[in-house]
Amino acid sequence: GGTLSPGIPGTLSPEYSIDDKLVALSLAFDIYKAANRPRTWRLLLKKLVKGNDELAMHLGNYLKPPVQSLELRSLTQQNAKWKIIAKADRKKQDSYHAGMKKSLSENLDEARSELLEKPGTITNSLCYLFDQTRKNKNTTWRWTEYNWKMLEPEFGEDVAHFYRDGVVSFWRYHVPKLRSEGAPFNETPWAVIIGLAGLEIEAIEIKGWPKNMGIAEVELACKYASFELNGFPSWFPRLFEMYPDIVCDFLMREIRYELSIEKPETDPNYILCDVIWYGQWAWDKLAPSIYDYLKAREPINLSNLDKLLKIVQGSIFPDELIEELVARKCRILKEPDHLSRWLAVWTGVAPEAAIASFKARIGEMADQKEQTLFAMTFATHLFTGRSDERRGDVNVTRQAFKTPAYLKSLYLLMHKYIRSQEDINHTEEAEAYSPGLRDDAQDARNSLFNLLINIHGKESFFALIDIAKEHPDEAFRPWIMLHAKTNAEQHGDMIPWQPSQVRDFQESQERTPSNHRELAELAVLRLLDLKDDLEQGDSSVASILKIVKQETEIRKYIGNALRDKAFGRYSIPQEEEFADAKKPDLRFHGAGFDGPVPVELKLADNWSGPKLFERLENQLCIDYLRDNRSSRGIYVLVYRGETQHWELPDSNDRVDFVGLIIALQEQWKRISPTFLKIDNITVIGIDLTKRSS
């Protein structure tokens, strides 16, 4: 971009903007300086900018720069000095690198001999090549990475192999000094880092590693592993898999040391932290030793206590032993921060006893703020907190409390002590915030409710109804009642049909049940078909059955009739018997799933009204439907015409057979909230006198 007008010498072209002219002036002045400042050029530049104040000002500053402040002058001088030093350093480094490359190329055998003569010592050659592998290091969260091959393009295969073999042999001859042996917590010696590089290479390149390592070598590798940045080396889980006892003994020794020097407010961030975040593969093996440690003493550092409890809960350690320990701890501990954590663990394995203990202990506190703090700490330790979730941690707490009854109790308790009126609302805050204990406690309290509404079924529905009635904040009650209604609607929805069921229905106007609910619905339909046939059918055998007085004979007939109409959709075994030697009258079994539907059969003429009501509750609901696989049952009454009226329990009312069936169905509705695991009882009455009349 020329800035002088080609037509009129000595003038600036008028069509250019002021920015263009300033750039042109700067370039012209640089040319003027490079030409050793000719006087005629300087006069010409002054003539060109004449009449333009901004250009004239900039040219004046170029010709006579303003005096710099002392600070700026000092900074300029310092920068110039640094540039000189940096240039000298680069020259020195270039010379050093050239000399080392030449030395390695010409004296590689001597370098090998030096390593053989001084095993476990960092020679100049080894140290130099190690530095070269770190020049283009891709990660900063580990001390080393598998990158020795990057030396080949610049130094050649022989030098690269020399480095590889040197660091692989090095780690066996150097013994790191552990923190438990007096090494500083915030330092990692270069020898340890080079040893880690050798272990990384060996673990990758030796087939079957670490199969042939001796006990001393395994223990030495463990020492190196304890120094890795941000967890453990990539090869450490493989070492544990091959030698679990040796590795776990090492880890526990260092964990015990770490706990022996703990302070209440300081986290040393040593081996225990690494085991928590990066050593889940060792939890099952470590849990018994950590359990024994906790059984004998209580950590004074809460962070350490959280870590130890996390390992035990996240392992396969039995619930029964955890319950035994936490029950004892909760009896003897007085300090609220410790007690609340142990109560949370207890709630995860034995919620009924733990919730009762929580109520008792928090009730002993006179100060409301102390109660709230205790409840918040307890609630946050029922779940993984926000900080753990941000690090991708999974929820390892035991959660036996995830049933509607316990969730209801916990949710109401948390709202009682972590009051919604005091909640922190960050939605209107413009700036980011760091969540605290109150935020985590609110999340935990909400998580209890979310768990409950995601459990579909009768038990969760009644739990929500109870919460809506008992919630300490009345403003929440309509909202919770809406959730109860939604829960009931979702539970009442039919499960989508499978393609085979659609085809089955097209061919026979029936479908083969695929779950317990569908089997119960089909069983009811079959019994209603049988009722209609006996009461209304032209070929009814009701007149024959009327004279039968034994329930066993009626049961045989109804069982055979139902089997004849099974068409492979269900089965009804004969003489089926429960574990307690009790025998249901009939029980439907589906094909391809385990969810039987029991049927209780009674000859109404043989029983009094109160006894029939008692059999509905005690025999069908309590005995036959106590199996977790069954939540629906059928109560069938057959009427032969001998009894005209039945007395209702706790009443002077007398009803006929139709009234009896209605009263029994109403009785089920009344007692239904008592049997939360039973979804429904259907009462069917078969009147053998109808056909003849």
Side-chain angles (χ1 to χ4, degrees):
T3 57
L4 292 177
S5 172
I8 306 174
T11 62
L12 284 169
S13 178
E15 66 270 15
Y16 292 111
S17 68
I18 186 63
D19 290 336
D20 293 334
K21 292 176 181 180
L22 287 170
V23 172
L25 178 62
S26 175
L27 178 60
F29 189 79
D30 285 342
I31 296 172
Y32 161 75
K33 286 196 302 180
N36 204 19
R37 302 174 182 259
R39 181 174 178 277
T40 55
W41 288 20
R42 182 170 65 255
L43 295 174
L44 179 59
L45 284 172
K46 289 181 177 180
K47 182 179 178 181
L48 286 170
V49 302
K50 192 175 181 180
N52 189 313
D53 293 341
E54 187 170 357
L55 292 174
M57 180 189 71
H58 278 81
L59 179 61
N61 288 337
Y62 290 154
L63 293 170
K64 291 184 178 181
V67 178
Q68 292 180 337
S69 66
L70 289 176
E71 282 187 27
L72 183 59
R73 191 182 309 167
S74 174
L75 183 61
T76 303
Q77 291 172 350
Q78 188 66 45
N79 286 338
K81 182 179 178 181
W82 284 339
K83 287 180 180 179
I84 294 172
I85 293 173
K87 186 177 180 181
D89 285 344
R90 283 196 299 272
K91 186 175 181 181
K92 184 178 179 181
Q93 286 294 324
D94 290 343
S95 175
Y96 172 70
H97 288 315
M100 286 301 300
K101 287 177 68 175
K102 182 179 179 182
S103 175
L104 286 167
S105 175
E106 296 175 354
N107 306 304
L108 192 58
D109 290 338
E110 287 84 345
R112 289 195 181 101
S113 299
E114 187 180 14
L115 281 182
L116 292 173
E117 293 170 3
K118 303 176 182 179
T121 302
I122 303 176
T123 64
N124 287 338
S125 301
L126 200 63
C127 186
Y128 170 76
L129 291 173
F130 175 73
D131 285 339
Q132 297 309 298
T133 63
R134 294 170 59 86
K135 282 196 308 184
N136 299 319
K137 193 169 180 286
N138 294 323
T139 63
T140 57
W141 64 289
R142 296 286 193 201
W143 278 126
T144 62
E145 61 184 34
Y146 180 73
N147 58 358
W148 69 270
K149 292 184 179 180
M150 66 170 291
L151 298 172
E152 290 183 352
E154 185 175 359
F155 296 93
E157 285 189 10
D158 288 344
V159 173
H161 289 172
F162 160 76
Y163 167 76
R164 179 199 64 187
D165 298 340
V167 294
V168 166
S169 65
F170 175 87
W171 75 266
R172 283 182 168 83
Y173 293 98
H174 176 77
V175 180
K177 185 178 182 181
L178 295 172
R179 274 79 167 186
S180 59
E181 298 167 343
F185 272 81
N186 56 350
E187 293 181 13
T188 303
W190 281 110
V192 173
I193 298 173
I194 290 176
L196 283 168
L199 272 162
E200 185 83 13
I201 294 171
E202 182 174 312
I204 291 174
E205 296 201 352
I206 294 183
K207 188 176 181 180
W209 187 94
K211 187 176 181 180
N212 297 318
M213 290 175 64
I215 294 176
E217 289 178 320
V218 175
E219 291 178 343
L220 181 57
C222 288
K223 289 188 174 185
Y224 279 102
S226 69
F227 284 89
E228 182 60 278
L229 275 178
N230 302 310
F232 296 115
S234 59
W235 45 263
F236 202 42
R238 292 165 58 195
L239 191 72
F240 166 80
E241 186 178 351
M242 188 68 67
Y243 306 100
D245 292 334
I246 300 174
V247 173
C248 278
D249 286 348
F250 169 81
L251 292 174
M252 274 309 303
R253 283 199 304 271
E254 295 305 294
I255 288 173
R256 290 191 186 95
Y257 163 73
E258 185 176 355
L259 294 170
S260 71
I261 62 168
E262 69 174 346
K263 297 178 181 179
E265 304 298 331
T266 305
D267 191 341
N269 291 316
Y270 181 36
I271 208 80
L272 190 54
C273 190
D274 289 339
V275 169
I276 283 294
W277 292 111
Y278 306 99
Q280 290 89 340
W281 34 266
W283 287 9
D284 290 343
K285 188 75 175 175
L286 289 170
S289 298
I290 289 175
Y291 178 87
D292 290 340
Y293 177 90
L294 290 170
K295 198 172 182 179
R297 56 187 62 83
E298 179 76 4
I300 62 173
N301 184 288
L302 290 173
S303 176
N304 285 340
L305 175 59
D306 288 340
K307 294 183 181 85
L308 297 175
L309 291 176
K310 193 171 187 178
I311 292 172
V312 174
Q313 292 182 94
S315 71
I316 60 173
F317 205 72
D319 282 356
E320 296 77 15
L321 292 178
I322 296 177
E323 181 183 356
E324 178 185 320
L325 174 61
V326 296
R328 185 172 66 84
K329 287 278 188 177
C330 290
R331 284 194 300 270
I332 62 176
L333 286 173
K334 303 296 182 184
E335 209 283 321
D337 281 339
H338 287 254
L339 177 60
S340 56
R341 284 164 163 81
W342 281 102
L343 278 169
V345 176
W346 196 4
T347 306
V349 294
E352 185 171 356
I355 293 171
S357 180
F358 174 85
K359 289 179 181 178
R361 299 302 289 269
I362 200 170
E364 295 170 357
M365 300 176 182
D367 184 69
Q368 183 174 295
K369 290 183 178 179
E370 185 182 2
Q371 288 178 326
T372 298
L373 180 60
F374 186 77
M376 289 194 300
T377 307
F378 168 81
T380 54
H381 284 82
L382 289 174
F383 302 95
T384 296
R386 292 191 195 201
S387 59
D388 294 337
E389 290 172 353
R390 285 195 294 270
R391 297 186 64 165
D393 189 34
V394 296
N395 196 348
V396 299
T397 54
R398 306 285 173 101
Q399 295 190 354
F401 61 84
K402 289 174 64 174
T403 67
Y406 297 134
L407 290 171
K408 178 191 76 173
S409 297
L410 289 168
Y411 183 68
L412 288 172
L413 276 171
M414 294 307 102
H415 260 287
K416 179 179 179 180
Y417 296 106
I418 308 172
R419 288 163 288 280
S420 55
Q421 300 92 330
E422 301 169 5
D423 282 356
I424 301 174
N425 184 4
H426 295 286
T427 56
E428 297 179 1
E429 297 181 9
E431 299 181 0
Y433 69 95
S434 298
L437 176 61
R438 179 73 198 202
D439 299 288
D440 289 340
Q442 291 170 201
D443 285 349
R445 190 189 62 200
N446 295 338
S447 294
L448 292 168
F449 188 74
N450 291 334
L451 285 171
L452 178 58
I453 62 175
N454 284 312
I455 300 174
H456 297 156
K458 178 179 173 181
E459 191 175 2
S460 58
F461 169 76
F462 279 105
L464 289 167
I465 294 294
D466 290 343
I467 291 174
K469 293 176 182 177
E470 302 171 22
H471 200 289
D473 189 341
E474 293 186 7
F476 275 73
R477 294 178 181 181
W479 176 73
I480 293 171
M481 189 63 78
L482 177 62
H483 275 287
K485 178 177 178 290
T486 302
N487 182 285
E489 290 172 347
Q490 292 174 342
H491 180 63
D493 286 344
M494 293 177 59
I495 297 174
W497 288 16
Q498 300 173 5
S500 59
Q501 291 179 304
V502 176
R503 183 178 62 251
D504 201 8
F505 187 81
Q506 170 67 21
E507 294 173 353
S508 58
Q509 283 67 59
E510 283 188 341
R511 55 178 176 150
T512 300
S514 61
N515 55 57
H516 174 70
R517 176 177 175 173
E518 292 175 0
L519 177 61
E521 291 170 351
L522 180 60
V524 169
L525 290 175
R526 282 288 187 272
L527 284 163
L528 290 176
D529 286 344
L530 179 60
K531 168 184 169 68
D532 183 70
D533 183 62
L534 290 171
E535 293 180 350
Q536 308 293 339
D538 292 336
S539 58
S540 172
V541 295
S543 59
I544 301 173
L545 294 176
K546 278 175 59 177
I547 64 175
V548 178
K549 296 185 178 182
Q550 299 296 320
E551 283 181 356
T552 54
E553 299 302 317
I554 294 292
R555 182 171 65 241
K556 288 178 184 178
Y557 170 79
I558 291 178
N560 288 329
L562 293 172
R563 291 185 195 96
D564 289 342
K565 299 291 185 180
F567 305 126
R569 292 185 172 86
Y570 60 81
S571 63
I572 303 177
Q574 297 188 19
E575 300 298 325
E576 191 175 10
E577 187 173 304
F578 292 141
D580 57 4
K582 293 182 179 180
K583 297 180 180 179
D585 290 328
L586 298 168
R587 199 153 70 144
F588 287 77
H589 290 265
F593 64 93
D594 190 11
V597 177
V599 178
E600 172 66 2
L601 175 68
K602 296 296 180 190
L603 278 179
D605 307 80
N606 296 355
W607 299 82
S608 67
K611 196 64 177 177
L612 288 171
F613 277 75
E614 182 269 331
R615 292 289 83 187
L616 167 67
E617 183 171 349
N618 291 330
Q619 191 165 18
L620 183 56
C621 295
I622 294 179
D623 286 343
Y624 297 166
L625 283 170
R626 64 182 172 180
D627 192 332
N628 289 328
R629 301 171 300 164
S630 302
S631 62
R632 293 170 183 265
I634 306 172
Y635 196 29
V636 178
L637 273 66
V638 178
Y639 176 50
R640 297 170 40 252
E642 291 187 355
T643 303
Q644 300 302 316
H645 297 94
W646 287 264
E647 291 183 0
L648 299 182
D650 302 322
S651 170
N652 293 324
D653 295 339
R654 293 167 62 85
V655 294
D656 60 9
F657 184 65
V658 174
L660 177 65
I661 300 302
I662 294 172
L664 285 167
Q665 193 68 66
E666 289 299 318
Q667 174 68 1
W668 161 245
K669 292 180 181 178
R670 282 192 293 272
I671 66 175
S672 177
T674 309
F675 298 97
L676 296 178
K677 295 186 181 300
I678 301 177
D679 287 337
N680 191 39
I681 297 291
T682 302
V683 182
I684 297 175
I686 300 176
D687 187 352
L688 298 179
T689 67
K690 270 196 173 186
R691 185 68 184 96
S692 59
S693 64

